[in-house]
Amino acid sequence: GEGIGEGMGEGIGDGIGEGTGLGIGEGIGEGIGDGIGEGMGLGIGDGMGDGIGEGIGEGMGEGIGDGIGEGMGLGIGEGIGEGIGDGMGDGIGDGIGEGIGEGMGD
């Protein structure tokens, strides 16, 4: 009687203990694991997305802006400089030539 009772008691106790322990352990482990994994994944994803997006945006924006600004500036400056230089050169040359020609003719 005692042996049967003890054996049954131990068997039932072990079964309940193990089952409960596994259930609780698995539940906690999975819950924490999922939570940390998802949280980190989201955090890293967001952070990287923002950082990369901002970096590319700023870098491209600055690069394109600088490039256009410099290119236009040089182009406009050169064009104006050349135009004034040519115009003045021609005008002065013509004026001097005409003046000398007229003066000598007289």
Side-chain angles (χ1 to χ4, degrees):
E2 217 177 289
I4 291 170
E6 239 178 81
M8 278 178 65
E10 221 175 285
I12 292 169
D14 277 357
I16 291 171
E18 227 175 279
T20 305
L22 277 174
I24 290 171
E26 249 178 71
I28 290 173
E30 239 176 84
I32 291 172
D34 280 358
I36 290 173
E38 236 177 88
M40 276 179 64
L42 280 173
I44 290 171
D46 263 346
M48 276 181 64
D50 279 354
I52 291 170
E54 252 178 70
I56 290 172
E58 254 179 66
M60 276 181 63
E62 248 178 75
I64 291 170
D66 281 356
I68 291 173
E70 248 179 74
M72 278 180 63
L74 280 174
I76 291 169
E78 261 179 55
I80 290 172
E82 248 178 75
I84 291 172
D86 283 355
M88 279 178 64
D90 281 351
I92 292 169
D94 285 355
I96 291 172
E98 244 179 79
I100 291 173
E102 263 180 54
M104 279 176 68
D106 287 350

